[in-house]
């Protein structure tokens, strides 16, 4: 009987381990990654931007977090657990900006905190952002609504860009005056477009306001 008990004990342990691996009890994201949204500095509204190339400093050239071919309104910014700071490079790939090599750099300084979630989820890192530094080419400011980064997916960082917004009091130079004939306008192919290639004012504006939680 003792022999049978010793045989069943390791089998029960193995079954428990397999059940833990296949358990659906861990439903949250198992990585703590800051989630940042894009906002217009002038309107504080969320915007969709294309022609951006965003990468982590020191990452391979093909390891882009955002590709220039994408239209995006947010980005995940993974931090390096073994470091106390991580820098991200934002390259503006619109033709006239790319030719001038315009880019911004954002550096997050933080503390890494080991965290044991549960038997199902295992261990992970949480982060406490202590300071943010950045350049000011097109990026105006960085807002943080909560400096604690956990595995709960939520947008707590706002990247505020200086985006060309139409002035309602400024006459439209492309609109014909009262003494000018109207007709279809032909775009000048050599004329550079606006800094921001497109915005979507209908996107939600529920996180984080500029300047909130700056550390």
């Amino acid at each position: 009987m003792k022999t049978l008990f010793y045989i069943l004990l390791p089998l029960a342990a193995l079954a428990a381990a397999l059940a833990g691996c296949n358990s659906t009890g861990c439903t949250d994201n198992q990585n703590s990654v800051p989630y940042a949204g894009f906002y217009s500095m002038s309107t504080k509204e969320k915007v969709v931007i294309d022609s951006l190339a965003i990468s982590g400093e020191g990452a391979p050239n093909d390891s882009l977090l955002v590709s220039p071919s994408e239209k995006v309104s947010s980005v995940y910014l993974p931090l390096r657990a073994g470091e106390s700071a991580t820098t991200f490079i934002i390259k503006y790939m619109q033709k006239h900006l790319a030719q001038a090599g315009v880019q911004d750099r954002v550096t997050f300084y933080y503390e890494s905190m080991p965290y044991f979630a549960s038997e199902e989820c295992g261990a992970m890192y949480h982060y406490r952002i202590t300071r943010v530094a950045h350049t000011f080419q097109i990026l105006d400011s960085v807002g943080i609504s909560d400096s604690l980064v956990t595995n709960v997916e939520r947008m707590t960082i706002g990247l505020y860009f200086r985006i060309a917004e139409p002035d309602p009091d400024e006459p439209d130079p492309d609109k014909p005056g009262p003494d000018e004939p109207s007709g279809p306008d032909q775009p000048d192919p050599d004329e550079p477009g606006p800094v921001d290639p497109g915005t979507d004012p209908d996107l939600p504006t529920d996180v984080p306001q500029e300047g909130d939680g700056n550390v």
Side-chain angles (χ1 to χ4, degrees):
M1 197 65 181
K2 287 184 178 180
T3 303
L4 180 60
F5 174 78
Y6 287 131
I7 292 175
L8 291 177
L9 186 60
L11 288 177
L14 177 61
L18 291 176
C21 291
N22 295 314
S23 173
T24 58
C26 181
T27 56
D28 290 335
N29 180 15
Q30 296 187 47
N31 295 310
S32 300
V33 182
Y35 188 29
F38 301 160
Y39 295 84
S40 164
M41 179 57 196
S42 59
T43 67
K44 306 300 187 292
E45 293 184 350
K46 200 169 184 180
V47 294
V48 176
I49 305 178
D50 64 11
S51 301
L52 289 182
I54 302 180
S55 61
E57 186 176 58
N61 292 331
D62 57 351
S63 299
L64 292 176
L65 301 171
V66 172
S67 169
S69 61
E70 300 177 83
K71 292 184 177 181
V72 292
S73 60
S74 59
V75 62
Y76 289 96
L77 301 172
L79 303 178
R80 296 173 178 169
E83 306 289 339
S84 60
T86 300
T87 297
F88 299 94
I89 302 172
I90 306 174
K91 294 183 178 179
Y92 305 96
M93 304 306 294
Q94 294 87 350
K95 183 178 179 181
H96 58 300
L97 296 177
Q99 289 176 346
V102 178
Q103 66 179 33
D104 276 306
R105 296 163 59 88
V106 184
T107 300
F108 293 92
Y109 298 87
Y110 50 87
E111 300 171 351
S112 302
M113 301 173 290
Y115 175 76
F116 181 77
S118 66
E119 292 184 4
E120 292 85 0
C121 296
M124 64 188 70
Y125 278 97
H126 286 179
Y127 303 96
R128 174 74 67 181
I129 298 175
T130 58
R131 187 164 65 92
V132 181
H134 65 89
T135 56
F136 297 86
Q137 296 295 326
I138 305 295
L139 182 65
D140 181 90
S141 56
V142 177
I144 298 180
S145 61
D146 191 345
S147 61
L148 180 62
V149 180
T150 69
N151 63 315
V152 177
E153 183 174 330
R154 58 194 181 120
M155 189 176 293
T156 59
I157 299 175
L159 302 180
Y160 289 81
F161 296 93
R162 288 191 294 273
I163 296 172
E165 301 288 345
D167 186 349
D169 297 327
E170 188 73 19
D172 187 349
D174 297 327
K175 187 175 181 179
D179 298 327
E180 300 178 12
S182 60
D185 295 327
Q186 298 299 323
D188 184 353
D190 297 326
E191 183 69 21
V195 169
D196 175 50
T199 63
D200 188 348
D202 296 328
L203 288 174
T205 59
D206 51 353
V207 293
Q209 293 301 309
E210 186 274 330
D212 286 353
N214 277 328
V215 291

